[in-house]
Amino acid sequence: MWENLPLFPDSASTLAGDVDRLYIFLVAVSAFFSLLICGLIITFAMMYRRKPDGRVAARIEGSLQLELLWTIIPFAVMLTAFIGGASLYVRMNTPPGEAVDMYVVGKQWMWKAQHPRGEREINDLHVPVGQTVRLTMTSEDVIHSFYIPAFRVKRDVVPGRYSQLWFEATKPGVYHIFCAEYCGTKHSAMIGKIYVQTPEEYQQWLSGVPAGEPPEVAGLRLFESLRCNTCHADTSGAAGARGPSLVGLFGKRVQLRDGGLQIVDEDYIRESIVKPMAKITAGFDPIMPTYQGQIGEEQILQVIAYIKTLRAP
Ligand code: CUA
């Protein structure tokens, strides 16, 4: 409905329409009440100005109807905004169905992206149309913010933690990627392009780039070269194992030494690699050394991709 408004960026994702509707609703409500209040101020100022014959207006000592009216109408309007906003917020945070995982690492001043089979890009991102894509993002230095106006999605990219964002592109084309958080001298140059292609074009594009190593394969190599496997042997609970088995671990809840429960997600694995003492699994000694400084953000993502593939047989 709003696609052709000249003030709006392209509208090219499944979320764009709903975001625009909510935005226009809020602008319309604000504009309506601003005009109404402005108009009433002017009208009343003229109606009740000082009269030459000293007449005064009748005093109103309370009106239930008026009270109800100006309570119920704003309440209904605000409730509509709240319900619209909250349901959209939930939708934006829950990728529907099967999503393709891609990884984005922000760095002063560029965006590095990696595809599921290992293809890499810098400041560019190719995605197929009509496919849900989930981005797992982090930063190597300061806070950035990954922003695709045409998709109406934006999320802060914070060092030391993962943020996720999903979209499904609906229209082939080339759209802007911006950094929306001031991050230093060249913040304004931290821009990129997102190429939305038909599935055939995307396949063709994939076959034209050096495939690179899939993240989980690179992750396995790191897992071995950093000697993670000496303590995290695959055999679950084997006598003498110094660290918990990682098989089938992702997504599960684990009991911690201090009695708490922890869901094993990307953030928890990352923390366990760089700050192993933070949360120790019950039944194990705090003996793991930190890998901070020995492993970069992209490599941590690869190790996580590998751990995700470790399913119970
Ligand atoms: Cu990165 Cu602004």
Side-chain angles (χ1 to χ4, degrees):
M1 180 177 181
W2 311 105
E3 271 100 279
N4 298 319
L5 278 188
L7 291 175
F8 277 55
D10 279 323
S11 162
S13 84
T14 49
L15 290 169
D18 284 348
V19 173
D20 288 358
R21 267 185 285 282
L22 182 65
Y23 176 76
I24 285 166
F25 174 76
L26 292 174
V27 170
V29 167
S30 311
F32 174 78
F33 281 101
S34 303
L35 289 176
L36 180 72
I37 291 167
C38 237
L40 286 179
I41 289 175
I42 294 169
T43 316
F44 288 164
M46 293 194 312
M47 262 171 80
Y48 298 114
R49 70 187 186 279
R50 189 198 294 254
K51 301 281 165 55
D53 51 5
R55 264 187 298 134
V56 289
R59 194 186 178 93
I60 300 175
E61 286 296 347
S63 158
L64 184 65
Q65 276 171 336
L66 260 183
E67 296 278 354
L68 285 177
L69 195 73
W70 67 46
T71 306
I72 292 173
I73 291 179
F75 178 69
V77 171
M78 288 303 122
L79 204 62
T80 312
F82 171 74
I83 292 172
S87 65
L88 188 58
Y89 178 82
V90 170
R91 225 184 117 202
M92 291 183 108
N93 283 286
T94 350
E98 279 286 286
V100 167
D101 274 309
M102 299 192 189
Y103 301 95
V104 169
V105 175
K107 175 184 180 198
Q108 284 170 323
W109 288 276
M110 63 174 87
W111 297 109
K112 299 190 280 187
Q114 190 167 21
H115 289 255
R117 289 198 331 210
E119 295 82 359
R120 292 169 175 285
E121 297 186 80
I122 287 184
N123 290 341
D124 282 342
L125 183 60
H126 288 72
V127 295
V129 71
Q131 164 73 54
T132 307
V133 175
R134 181 174 51 215
L135 302 181
T136 298
M137 311 186 291
T138 190
S139 163
E140 278 182 23
D141 36 46
V142 299
I143 303 179
H144 304 277
S145 184
F146 191 82
Y147 179 30
I148 308 171
F151 294 176
R152 311 289 192 274
V153 291
K154 175 165 76 176
R155 179 110 336 154
D156 277 9
V157 175
V158 182
R161 72 163 80 153
Y162 294 119
S163 33
Q164 289 191 325
L165 175 156
W166 75 270
F167 55 78
E168 183 187 325
T170 51
K171 217 164 67 179
V174 183
Y175 308 102
H176 288 294
I177 300 172
F178 292 122
C179 177
E181 180 71 51
Y182 181 66
C183 57
T185 318
K186 290 192 195 146
H187 157 69
S188 62
M190 192 167 166
I191 49 181
K193 287 198 176 97
I194 186 150
Y195 297 82
V196 178
Q197 302 176 303
T198 62
E200 300 78 49
E201 283 171 344
Y202 178 67
Q203 284 311 323
Q204 210 177 356
W205 176 82
L206 279 181
S207 57
V209 243
E213 219 173 3
E216 63 274 14
V217 176
L220 168 61
R221 219 161 22 77
L222 281 164
F223 198 77
E224 287 167 349
S225 66
L226 293 168
R227 315 295 299 148
C228 310
N229 50 358
T230 48
C231 293
H232 297 283
D234 281 358
T235 41
S236 153
R242 279 177 287 178
S245 162
L246 306 178
V247 174
L249 189 65
F250 192 82
K252 269 210 320 215
R253 275 181 199 212
V254 293
Q255 183 81 44
L256 300 180
R257 247 179 154 213
D258 62 13
L261 279 173
Q262 171 71 43
I263 293 187
V264 181
D265 56 8
E266 285 95 346
D267 273 312
Y268 175 57
I269 299 180
R270 185 185 180 284
E271 183 185 64
S272 299
I273 294 171
V274 296
K275 264 192 266 163
M277 294 304 137
K279 290 176 191 133
I280 307 283
T281 308
F284 292 92
D285 291 323
I287 51 168
M288 177 167 160
T290 174
Y291 285 81
Q292 183 123 48
Q294 301 182 46
I295 179 169
E297 290 298 340
E298 282 173 277
Q299 294 175 307
I300 295 179
L301 281 169
Q302 291 164 347
V303 171
I304 293 175
Y306 166 64
I307 292 174
K308 281 186 188 171
T309 63
L310 297 174
R311 304 229 178 277

